[in-house]
Amino acid sequence: MPKHKRERKKRIGQRIATGFALLIYLFIYAPIAVMIVFSFNDQETNYFWNGFTLRWYEKLFYDSSIVEYLWVSLIIAVSATILSVIIGTLGAVGLVRFEFKLKKLVNQSLYIPIVIPEIVLGISLLILFDFIKLPLGFIAIILAHVTFCVPFVIIIMRGRLAGLDLSVEEASMDLGANRMTTFFRITLPMLLPGIISGAFMSFTLSIDDVIISNFVAGPYSTTLPVKILSLVKTGLSPEVNALATIMILVMLFGILANSIVQAVLRKRASTVIKSYF
Amino acid sequence: MMGDAIVTLLDVDKFFGANHVIKKLNLTVQQGEFLTLLGPSGCGKTTILRMIAGFEDASAGSIEVQGERVEDKEAFERDVNTVFQSYALFPHMTVFDNIAYGLTVKRVPKQEIKERVKEMLALVQLEGFEGRRPDMMSGGQKQRVAIARALINNPKVLLLDEPLGALDLKLRKQMQLELKRLQKKLNITFIYVTHDQEEAMTMSDRIAVINNGILEQIDTPKEIYKHPKTRFVADFIGESNILEGQVLDCQDGLCRIQLETGMVLLQSPNRKPADPVMICVRPEVMKYERSPVDGFSLPGTIKDIIFVGAQYRTLIVLENGMEIKVNRVKPEKDLKEGDSVYLYWEPEDALGIGDLKQGGSVNEQQ
Amino acid sequence: MMGDAIVTLLDVDKFFGANHVIKKLNLTVQQGEFLTLLGPSGCGKTTILRMIAGFEDASAGSIEVQGERVEDKEAFERDVNTVFQSYALFPHMTVFDNIAYGLTVKRVPKQEIKERVKEMLALVQLEGFEGRRPDMMSGGQKQRVAIARALINNPKVLLLDEPLGALDLKLRKQMQLELKRLQKKLNITFIYVTHDQEEAMTMSDRIAVINNGILEQIDTPKEIYKHPKTRFVADFIGESNILEGQVLDCQDGLCRIQLETGMVLLQSPNRKPADPVMICVRPEVMKYERSPVDGFSLPGTIKDIIFVGAQYRTLIVLENGMEIKVNRVKPEKDLKEGDSVYLYWEPEDALGIGDLKQGGSVNEQQ
Amino acid sequence: MNSSDTVKINSRLTKRRHFKRNTAPALAMAGPVTFWMLFFVLLPLLYVIFISFMSRDLYGGIAFEFTTENYTNMLKPVYLNVIWQSIKLAFFTTLICLLIGYPFAYYIARKPSKVAAKLLMLIMIPFWTNSLVRLYSLGLLAAPKGFINIVLQKLGLISEPLQMLHTNGIVVVGLLISMLPFAVLPLYASIEKLDKSYLEASSDLGARPAVTFWKVTVPLTLPGIVASIILVFIPSLGMYYVPETLGGGKIMLIGNLIRNQFLVTRNWPFGASLSILLILITLFMLWFYTRVARLDELEVF
Amino acid sequence: GGAAEEEATPGELNVYMWSEYMSESVVQGFEEEFNIKVNFSYMNSSEEATAKLTSGGGDQYDLVMPCDADMTALINGGHLAEMNLDNIPNFANLGEAYKYREFDPENKYAMPYLMNYVYVIYNPETCPIEITKYQDLFSPELKGQISSITGIRNLFPIALVALGYDPNSSVESEIAEAYEWLKGYMANVKVLSSDDTEQAIVSGECSVALVFDGQAGRAFEAVPGLKVADLSDPIQLGVDELVIPANAKNKENAELFLNYLLDAEVMAENLIANPYTCPNVEAIKLTEDSYKLNPAINIPQHMKDNYFLQLDVGEAATVYDEYWTMLLSEQ
Ligand SMILES: Nc1ncnc2c1ncn2[C@@H]1O[C@H](COP(=O)(O)OP(=O)(O)OP(=O)(O)O)[C@@H](O)[C@H]1O
Ligand SMILES: Nc1ncnc2c1ncn2[C@@H]1O[C@H](COP(=O)(O)OP(=O)(O)OP(=O)(O)O)[C@@H](O)[C@H]1O
Ligand SMILES: [Mg+2]
Ligand SMILES: [Mg+2]
């Protein structure tokens, strides 16, 4: 029992905050829990709980193309995220820092991919790719995803950049670091929380996209969400849940592996790196 | 010791919006010189340093560093380093990384960096702080990191904006000595901002006194102190009692001056009778007795005697209400508040403001 | 003038991680008192202020403000205001809004706020800056806004962390007077951090000297200066020459002390023969002659004479290589570097470190 | 070499340096995004604008005859109503996302950076499955024979299943869990940089936490708030699938209206013009928002 | 070309269609028999597939599966390749009603694959009335009891039929009447949904549902007591067509595949995994009882015969759209 009023108040405040956060997580995770539970449902279509089965996983296990869809989705999402974060981060800094003729136009055009319905963006990108003879498929999907991820990254980044004290950039250049070095060693670390947010956002948008992917996809570039949505149309089968569950597990596994690798690397490195994972 | 001009400001003006902050500034700094900028808060010292460093563009005029216009080179291409008034330490780096930064970007070998950072840490007395982040340090510690970070690069020109302001007296004195030693040893040109007048006096080759964006005087410390050109300089540098009067007559460099409260003497080059004159008498050379002395003396009353550490300050009020400060190492034991005294000084101790210094050399003023 | 204890620190410890920053600190500040914390950079002054303000929790011990434990009240509930070392001005507000903030949140009528902010702006000499944002101001200007922002609330306790550090000498003196005037007029308790010893000496009722988280001495400025309890205090406060020796004999409060380089005299309460003793002689009372004087004198050689503004500092090297500082208003005209001199002092001018002051009162040390 | 040559070389040198100093970095940083926006957004947009002035041919192709009919057409009360409904829903969504997202982002941002990154990832992970599957699962959860009802019935709290599915309540929850990251991520990025010393100063000056929040925290994190409003409001304008799947589907928003034009009615010109309208509404709102809220200086736009 | 040649360079066939809509064994059989690799991409909706074809995204594929309602637009827009019926002798296996249809009189473009009816199912235990015609759905007793499919081109024809008009009418006054009818219908509808319409009747939330037969099939499996309403009004039939995009690279392979699919035995096998209504009459003859007696497919013959198709309504589409928008935005 804490002794003092302020401390007690603080504790109570913290409990409320933690409780609130837990509630939010509960809200977000409840559907996921249901999704996972129903992936074991013994029913052709998910209506209610009808008993436990593993047959949906068995079915997917024998379907070799699942691995392919997963790979395609992940590679696309990761590439689109990396590209968007690079273009977006550079762009956000550039748009805040420099004055140039097209700046206003670019600034306003950022909102277009966010506001325009996916259908319209999908169709117009398809027409563009057709026009420039870019073969549909992998590359096209990545380009399309980058197109709608970049604005999100930039808007998040600008929220981060605004009012951020970047006088340390001057200090860096003063110490002989050129702009590039300054950007990588000073600006970037200070923007890191924005970059992380932007990356999460891009990855999420990309991994969840169906409509635009569908328009610019080619024969060998079916992503998992496209496959899932196509399945949904012929019945809400637990197989869909199983697929989505596998998808999330694979990604969780990836994160876990990544953090283990990083932990090992960090142990080896002598200097302390501010790591976010 | 000193060579050619290494920093030149020519007719520099600076506006922030409608705010005219620097006004037609001309300034030449010699290779290897230690130049101090002195002036009231907000007079433009930081702005001048920032323009020299190339972070701020002059609104008019030109600035050259090492013979090249600052606009033509990027900050990182020049051999100029800065100790920022607000430190501007990299918040995400440790003390070690902060100090090593300049060397790291120059790709100095790791081992050498380690050694030089160690040296620097010893210099600023922060051994053992290598692994700290700036937000875990005290104000003075941060300031020392900022100094070390700039100093480690052995730049040609070092700009220091109140680099010792957050340090205690003792440490400050030590750092002054170290800075001066390094400056001489490595022949670095220092452009230094400080509010500590003793610091300015002891360390500088020359002092530039700035007031409201205008260069009032630039000269050696002694000359600035002994021969202030303007009332502002006399008043701003050191403590002073400034008396206004008119010349009665002059003979052999000794003038009789009529003040409101009496006649006084001043050693000065000839002045025309009836000329207005301002006399500056430093508190440490002002004298007083219980009874009028030969020559001249101004009657006054002791208002207060304050202990200020190394000395006692006596405030004496003249008949016209003006307050005169007198500093003494020990208080006159038999004097107390309310006593009447007579003020006087040795004529050669009083300064006539604006008097040309003897054998004066040319300086940069317009 | 002073009343009851308003701030009490009892056996306070503070750790930052494994870092023991404040060590068993006991301190009582009286209502209406002007207490200055003095100590080297990083000794824990800011930490003490932050604990009193309630921003940092003590690791052990208790802190009471106005009779209530700081842990029991939120910062906003207490009548304590702070001038932060790093200013912490609200970057999104104008100078006016920054200064008015405390009154605004107390819902003081608009008109009154306007008037009081105007008064404050005049006090800190920033009239006309109402509409500026902090990032458009110089360091000293920001500092003044920080002062005004805290002062306008007329708090019971005001914590000031190097509040005048970025101001020039002249302005600093004016602000010192103003602060002191307000403190007396409004009977505010000031807990003040400064590195300017003259400031500490002239303004404080008492000075607490902190070293490395430990309270070394707390006393009036004069006592601290004249009767330092520890070598650290003697060395840290003012300039000093500290000589170590052994008592030969004492008679009527006059001791003969054997140093490495000779015998000297010290006025001191009786000490036992052969006791080790440290003598502190301030540079301004150290004397020297070309030939040995009566009583005692230490032979030395002039190493350097430096002009430091109001005075000349002469460095004299003793036979054992120790450097002695002597300050003079004017240099002895006929002395120059390399000359041999004999050092001496009036026995009553030398301080025996750790001597109990005459009629000493009880103080808070453990 | 004569002096005019030197001058020429000098000026060329100056120009090159000037290029190096300003143009090169600007090009390197803003170049890619400028190219991307011009090529992948504005170029296709030109096409959309172009067809918005064409008309539908008999079988749903594009007849290349200029007309402004598409724009006059959307002034019909039906369509204005759809637009109004969409704005209302987007506004509502933004409001709840912000109200819930801000304290949540604040909570995360005050954690040490490593923990914060993990907490952030925890919100994102659910979004790495298909959003539609998630919505259906939410539906299953809230269904009359769903988990919640069964538990409540087993506990004896209710006798009849609660009607949760196809109500506004579940739509709100659906919207919230679909859009929350869009609110939280920019807020986090902005709150993270909030310097604690300003909060201390405010508290020191006698401001209660609520006052500190409104007068210091909110203004200083305004860029993040603005970004999150943009990122929630704008996509919400076109978002129809949450109310459609959870709310019973009897809804027409600008998102499914445009979708219908492109896919069902195959009236691409009209769909294009509606898309242009959507863009114009967005730009107008942003303009209005910046002017009224005086956010011009924020560098967010 | 001979078989040897084919062995040397295995062919390829890119199909863009629904997922889980074609038996894997059938595909494998084709791949083995012709040494052609069939590569599937999956679509999300017929409309999107159509939009993709019309925007030039069809070159990638050799076979695409839009539905019959979109055929007119695709054919008139020139987005489809003509097929050579000579290469598809199994064409003969199709029921006469599904050949040479209005939108494709020479049957050059579209080959029907599987079909779906739209009809009403109900839960006899909870449904308060007997439903024999669309007008019955108007009954106030059904308030909030109907789960319905959605979409302009699904609901308007039903309304028009209910009113006795041509389901593909382009007369504005008739459409307006249909709109009024639908308004009344909507008052009883609780859930409008295109993908999981049957969910509400299975969960017991609704007692009546207007569904596709595929959805009905799933519902029957979960709740065996559900019944198909015996409607006297014509019911809607939708057909999933297989078409070859105009610039398809492997047109021959596509035709080969179409012919293979139309083989009665192959299709009969396919129907085991995909028990949907099928236009291949020869195949149906070969099917087992599990298919023939499937309650979702085995509906009264008079209903099966009394069907109507969605046809392109030309310029009236925009009229429909406006009324539809009005209908939904008023809810
Ligand atoms: N960004 C700015 N916009 C407008 N005015 C500014 C800006 N920066 C500085 N100023 C003004 O310019 C003047 C000079 O500022 P500067 O920082 O050079 O002063 P300083 O001499 O360094 O003062 P200090 O000793 O207080 O640091 C000040 O009056 C200040 O208010
Ligand atoms: N957050 C922190 N974590 C760890 N150590 C800290 C932290 N803050 C301060 N310290 C350490 O505590 C000691 C006291 O710091 P404090 O800021 O109180 O010093 P100070 O007396 O105010 O010094 P200065 O005169 O330089 O401002 C310093 O050695 C500092 O490095
Ligand atoms: Mg400054
Ligand atoms: Mg401090």
Side-chain angles (χ1 to χ4, degrees), chain C residues 116-134:
Chain C
R116 283 174 62 183
V117 171
K118 220 173 146 188
E119 259 170 51
M120 275 298 144
L121 282 169
L123 183 86
V124 298
Q125 306 188 17
L126 283 178
E127 295 105 330
F129 281 75
E130 290 86 347
R132 286 272 185 102
R133 287 275 168 79

Side-chain angles (χ1 to χ4, degrees), chain A:
Chain A
M1 191 65 205
K3 284 174 284 197
H4 308 300
K5 206 174 128 201
R6 197 179 59 184
E7 213 174 310
R8 215 177 311 143
K9 258 186 174 170
K10 217 159 113 192
R11 288 260 174 105
I12 293 172
Q14 266 168 2
R15 286 224 184 106
I16 293 176
T18 310
F20 173 76
L22 283 179
L23 201 69
I24 304 263
Y25 282 118
L26 182 74
F27 262 109
I28 301 177
Y29 274 90
I32 300 301
V34 171
M35 177 191 94
I36 294 173
V37 168
F38 274 82
S39 70
F40 298 105
N41 192 14
D42 192 9
Q43 203 172 38
E44 287 300 316
T45 308
N46 268 330
Y47 297 117
F48 43 79
W49 182 250
N50 199 39
F52 181 87
T53 181
L54 281 175
R55 71 176 148 127
W56 303 111
Y57 286 97
E58 254 166 65
K59 186 170 174 212
L60 290 177
F61 186 76
Y62 291 113
D63 187 351
S64 57
S65 45
I66 293 301
V67 179
E68 187 194 315
Y69 305 142
L70 244 170
W71 260 125
V72 170
S73 301
L74 283 177
I75 291 174
I76 288 174
V78 169
S79 324
T81 302
I82 292 173
L83 266 175
S84 316
V85 165
I86 292 173
I87 296 173
T89 307
L90 283 174
V93 178
L95 285 172
V96 169
R97 208 57 67 73
F98 301 105
E99 290 300 328
F100 54 98
K101 274 190 202 127
L102 293 171
K103 180 167 160 172
K104 227 181 147 153
L105 188 68
V106 173
N107 261 334
Q108 309 218 307
S109 66
L110 286 176
Y111 300 108
I112 292 169
I114 304 180
V115 67
I116 207 166
E118 285 172 308
I119 305 272
V120 184
L121 190 61
I123 290 177
S124 50
L125 281 176
L126 171 56
I127 289 170
L128 175 75
F129 293 159
D130 191 45
F131 184 75
I132 61 170
K133 298 278 173 282
L134 181 92
L136 296 187
F138 225 75
I139 305 290
I141 297 179
I142 293 175
L143 293 181
H145 284 197
V146 171
T147 303
F148 65 75
C149 286
V150 161
F152 282 87
V153 175
I154 290 187
I155 287 169
I156 291 176
M157 284 310 268
R158 280 198 298 206
R160 169 87 190 166
L161 267 170
L164 193 70
D165 178 18
L166 288 176
S167 64
V168 289
E169 284 186 343
E170 285 179 354
S172 167
M173 299 228 263
D174 183 75
L175 291 167
N178 60 27
R179 282 176 195 274
M180 192 130 88
T181 312
T182 300
F183 184 80
F184 282 109
R185 302 192 65 136
I186 306 297
T187 318
L188 222 52
M190 297 194 54
L191 294 180
L192 206 52
I195 293 173
I196 288 174
S197 293
F200 275 148
M201 188 69 108
S202 302
F203 188 81
T204 307
L205 289 169
S206 171
I207 204 84
D208 198 18
D209 177 70
V210 177
I211 295 175
I212 292 171
S213 303
N214 194 23
F215 272 107
V216 296
Y220 293 98
S221 54
T222 302
T223 62
L224 203 53
V226 169
K227 164 81 180 172
I228 288 176
L229 200 68
S230 190
L231 277 176
V232 166
K233 289 278 181 175
T234 46
L236 265 176
S237 135
E239 186 185 357
V240 176
N241 294 36
L243 245 185
T245 304
I246 288 176
M247 183 161 158
I248 213 169
L249 286 180
V250 166
M251 277 184 272
L252 275 178
F253 180 76
I255 290 165
L256 207 69
N258 178 46
S259 57
I260 289 171
V261 169
Q262 286 219 357
V264 172
L265 286 180
R266 214 177 306 131
K267 248 184 205 162
R268 279 197 206 150
S270 53
T271 46
V272 189
I273 314 159
K274 193 172 188 182
S275 158
Y276 274 83
F277 296 100

Side-chain angles (χ1 to χ4, degrees), chain B residues 137-140 166, chain C residues 40-47 49 85 161-162 193 195:
Chain B
M137 302 214 292
S138 80
Chain C
S41 168
C43 72
K45 305 177 295 294
T46 299
T47 308
L49 291 198
Q85 189 171 14
D161 202 347
E162 302 186 29
V193 173
H195 287 311

Side-chain angles (χ1 to χ4, degrees), chain E residues 167-221:
Chain E
N168 297 303
S169 164
S170 49
V171 182
E172 176 153 8
S173 64
E174 292 177 5
I175 300 170
E177 264 184 76
Y179 158 75
E180 291 297 335
W181 191 91
L182 285 175
K183 240 161 91 172
Y185 172 68
M186 283 295 174
N188 283 350
V189 168
K190 173 140 195 206
V191 183
L192 268 186
S193 148
S194 45
D195 299 335
D196 61 343
T197 323
E198 82 283 8
Q199 182 91 35
I201 195 167
V202 171
S203 73
E205 210 180 341
C206 297
S207 58
V208 178
L210 179 67
V211 290
F212 294 113
D213 55 6
Q215 296 176 329
R218 288 179 243 148
F220 290 150
E221 213 163 287

Side-chain angles (χ1 to χ4, degrees), chain B residues 19 41 132 170 235 330, chain C residues 19 132 144 170 235 349:
Chain B
N19 199 355
S41 169
R132 288 272 185 102
K170 221 174 136 78
D235 200 19
K330 293 184 195 179
Chain C
N19 201 354
R132 286 272 185 102
R144 284 178 272 162
K170 219 173 138 79
D235 200 21
D349 284 342

